[in-house]
Amino acid sequence: MGDVKLAIIYYSSTGTVHGMAERLREAGEKAGAEVRVRQVAELAPNEAIASNAAWSQHFDRTKNEPRATADDVVWADAVLFGTPTRYGNVASQLKQFLDTLGPQWAQGLLANKAYAGFTATMTEHGGQESTLLALYNTIYHFGGVVVAPGYTDPLKFADGNPYGVSHVTGGSNDAPLTEVQFAALDHLARRIVGIAGKLR
C-alpha cells in the first residue's frame, strides 16, 4: 500500500506555526510518511500585514511556498492542521480554506482519515484548547477520525496539551520553540502516521 501520506496544512502570520509545521514534516518523514507541507492563502489586507514587522517579514519569506488545495486533503491518509489562535478560535485564513472543501466533503472524500491540530498563542491561557476543539468540530462533520495525542506518552505531561500541540510565544510574540514542543510535535507526527496506517 506504500507509505502513509501525511498533509500538514497550516496558516502562520509571524512564523511560529510555520516552524511547528517544519518540525512535523521532519518527524513525519522519520516515521516513514510521504509528507506534503502546504500553507493556506493569506486573506489579510496589505495594510494589516505591513503594520506588523514580523508578519510582513514572514509573508515575504514564504510567499513563494506551495499553497494548500483541496487535493492535498483528498490525497492524504492523515492531515495535521495548524493555526494561530484568534480569539480562542481558528484563524480565518485556515477556516476559509476548510470552508472551500464542501465539494470534497459532499463526495465523502474527507472521511475516514486521521486528523489532529497544532496551534500557538501569545499567552499561556490564550485559547489553545478552545482553538483545537473548534477545529475538531469541522473534522466531525468530515467524518474524520480525531487522533488527539492525549496523554499517550509521559512527555505530554511536559507540554500539557492532550488536544494537540501548542506553543506560547510570549508577550513579544517571539519566544522560540523549545525541546518540549519539539518532543510533543514529534510524538504527534509519529502517532498520527501510526494510526493512519492502521486505518487504511
Side-chain angles (χ1 to χ4, degrees):
M1 292 178 67
D3 295 341
V4 167
K5 297 179 178 71
L6 172 63
I8 301 166
I9 297 174
Y10 73 98
Y11 172 71
S12 185
S13 55
T14 60
T16 299
V17 177
H18 172 86
M20 297 173 84
E22 287 301 323
R23 180 67 181 217
L24 287 164
R25 178 210 298 267
E26 294 173 20
E29 289 173 348
K30 283 180 185 172
E34 181 182 349
V35 183
R36 286 185 188 177
V37 179
R38 300 288 188 266
Q39 187 168 205
V40 299
E42 179 60 83
L43 302 177
N46 289 334
E47 54 268 25
I49 299 169
S51 70
N52 181 321
W55 193 355
S56 183
Q57 289 164 11
H58 181 70
F59 178 78
D60 287 340
R61 272 197 313 269
T62 61
K63 63 186 176 186
N64 294 321
E65 290 189 1
R67 293 296 182 248
T69 68
D71 179 65
D72 295 315
V73 183
V74 172
W75 166 85
D77 302 305
V79 183
L80 290 168
F81 286 120
T83 176
T85 287
R86 294 291 182 261
Y87 309 113
N89 214 322
V90 176
S92 59
Q93 290 87 345
L94 181 62
K95 184 62 168 65
Q96 194 270 347
F97 172 77
L98 295 171
D99 288 349
T100 67
L101 300 177
Q104 293 74 29
W105 165 79
Q107 296 172 66
L109 299 175
L110 309 180
N112 306 324
K113 300 173 185 289
Y115 294 89
F118 56 104
T119 189
T121 58
M122 288 182 66
T123 57
E124 190 170 351
H125 298 287
Q128 296 177 346
E129 288 88 350
S130 64
T131 296
L132 293 171
L133 291 169
L135 170 65
Y136 296 157
N137 286 336
T138 299
I139 306 312
Y140 304 141
H141 282 255
F142 286 176
V145 178
V146 174
V147 183
Y151 291 99
T152 54
D153 187 287
L155 64 84
K156 291 304 294 180
F157 289 95
D159 95 296
N161 190 337
Y163 303 99
V165 176
S166 53
H167 176 56
V168 178
T169 61
S172 56
N173 211 26
D174 61 0
L177 295 163
T178 71
E179 289 305 316
V180 170
Q181 286 82 45
F182 289 148
L185 290 162
D186 293 351
H187 175 255
L188 183 66
R190 287 192 304 269
R191 180 167 161 77
I192 200 165
V193 169
I195 297 291
K198 293 176 181 178
L199 290 174
R200 292 197 304 168

